[in-house]
Amino acid sequence: MTVLDVLLPRLVALPGVLAVSLGGSRARGTHRPDSDWDLGVYYRGGFDARALGRLGFAGHVAQPGEWGRIVNGGAWLTVEGEPVDVLLRDLDVVDAWRADADHGRFEIDQVEGHLAGLPTYTPLGEIAVNRVLAGRLPAVAYPAALRGAAQERWRWNAAFSLTIAEQHVRRGDRTLALGMMTRATAQAAHAVMAGRGAWVLGEKGLVDDAGLGAARDVLGDDRPDPAEALHELRALLDAPRPQELRSHRTRARTVRLRPADAGEVLTLQRAAYVPEARAHEDIDLPPLTEHLAEIRKQLADGSVTAWGVRDDGRLVAAVRITRSGSTAVVSRLVVAPDRQGEGLGSGLLRHAEEQLDDGVSVIELFTGEHSVTNLRLYDRLGFRETHRTDAGTYALVHMAKPRGTGRGRSPG
């Protein structure tokens, strides 16, 4: 029996699984006998990866979010003596990234094993390129708006990497100079592929596919002069100076969130609450199991006001405030993991408080007892514990403050 004969029926039968796809070299027909099997498992509304461990195969299991928000989670298994990578894909999150890509918006996450990082449109490319084995997945085409935006963004990144490489050359640091030049090559290759409207699912073969294979000669081990290599590589990559390109960063701004923003809110919320789930050993936290339709309904509720912070179009922080008489209840205060520690959460909470009408006199919220950072933040903002409620294996700490207190010092 083949790996698929053994594993596919069991994956399809798992709770919440909507589709399974085959990816990697086996989907493209370029695999070797010893190639891994790459299987994508698609779900909505949460998935308990412990179900993969109960399939009875040796390996390692990772919950959603454990491998980052793009790679997400899944398992490394050995099936019929062959290595199998099972990768979990949250279709609610993918839908939100697809909406972003349709408008030319995307983010790049630093992911282990990738020089240039992974863009959030990678899972869209997987759906477009991989072979569906069971269930149904939406048809995906490369968005026209994404072609120009991604090409410009990757060119900017490559140009910036070469600028940093130039600084290392001046300091005589050959290792870091060549490292940044190599990274710039991968980024420039991404730009070429984006301009073609071609999906990039990883960096294997990327430089050659982009027609930049000559970079190997420029960056070869026998290259005696990093400064000369930098000059030649800048010409090969057609990389301008960063100041010659429009910066991809703009000033962050606070915006009112509407039902149309629900997909982005869901993506941000699930990424931000993974550390909370680990701290409390509870993967069923409501923010992680909340569905897209529920968020959309809340954002349309007249008693709920939601605010967010956008930086270059990306939603990096969000909060919801529910009015109940003279009390405002704060919920779902979240900040993107890579932007935490910048004061975005405290600033957004202060903004939301300032927008409340005069009839509100008390602000309430709650958080898990193991959320040390949150408890410290709320204390600095003037909140004081009122009581605790049982949530099973841990307690929820309920806090309140009179409106207008604790608004002086930013936690930084």
Side-chain angles (χ1 to χ4, degrees), residues 276-304:
E276 298 300 304
R278 291 175 182 161
H280 294 85
E281 298 182 348
D282 184 0
I283 64 170
D284 294 320
L285 293 179
L288 293 177
T289 59
E290 196 170 32
H291 290 230
L292 182 64
E294 295 175 279
I295 296 177
R296 189 177 289 120
K297 182 178 179 180
Q298 275 210 20
L299 296 182
D301 188 331
S303 66
V304 177

Side-chain angles (χ1 to χ4, degrees), residues 28 70 114 116-130 142 146 150 154 186-207 209-210:
R28 298 189 297 271
I70 296 179
H114 295 78
L118 279 181
T120 50
Y121 56 77
T122 303
L124 305 180
E126 292 176 343
I127 293 176
V129 173
N130 292 352
Y142 204 106
L146 183 64
W154 284 114
Q187 292 165 328
H190 268 284
V192 170
M193 300 301 281
R196 296 176 186 170
W199 297 108
V200 174
L201 305 186
E203 293 177 344
K204 293 179 181 177
L206 172 60
V207 172
D209 289 343

Side-chain angles (χ1 to χ4, degrees), residues 193-335:
M193 300 301 281
R196 296 176 186 170
W199 297 108
V200 174
L201 305 186
E203 293 177 344
K204 293 179 181 177
L206 172 60
V207 172
D208 285 329
D209 289 343
L212 299 176
R216 278 191 295 272
D217 297 327
V218 176
L219 299 173
D221 292 337
D222 58 349
R223 168 65 64 177
D225 185 357
E228 183 182 349
L230 177 64
H231 176 75
E232 292 182 19
L233 191 65
R234 191 180 295 281
L236 172 65
L237 302 185
D238 189 27
R241 300 284 179 173
Q243 58 268 28
E244 297 174 40
L245 294 169
R246 181 178 61 84
S247 172
H248 63 266
R249 300 280 296 188
T250 59
R251 187 174 182 178
R253 57 193 178 93
T254 303
V255 297
R256 179 80 176 267
L257 298 177
R258 308 291 182 181
D261 301 305
E264 292 176 275
V265 172
L266 175 65
T267 303
L268 173 63
Q269 181 174 298
R270 290 189 177 171
Y273 268 94
V274 167
E276 298 300 304
R278 291 175 182 161
H280 294 85
E281 298 182 348
D282 184 0
I283 64 170
D284 294 320
L285 293 179
L288 293 177
T289 59
E290 196 170 32
H291 290 230
L292 182 64
E294 295 175 279
I295 296 177
R296 189 177 289 120
K297 182 178 179 180
Q298 275 210 20
L299 296 182
D301 188 331
S303 66
V304 177
T305 304
W307 296 97
V309 176
R310 287 194 179 279
D311 190 354
D312 193 32
R314 174 193 177 192
L315 187 66
V316 294
V319 69
R320 285 175 242 173
I321 308 289
T322 302
R323 172 74 182 272
S324 179
S326 60
T327 300
V329 180
V330 177
S331 63
R332 306 295 192 266
L333 177 62
V334 292
V335 177

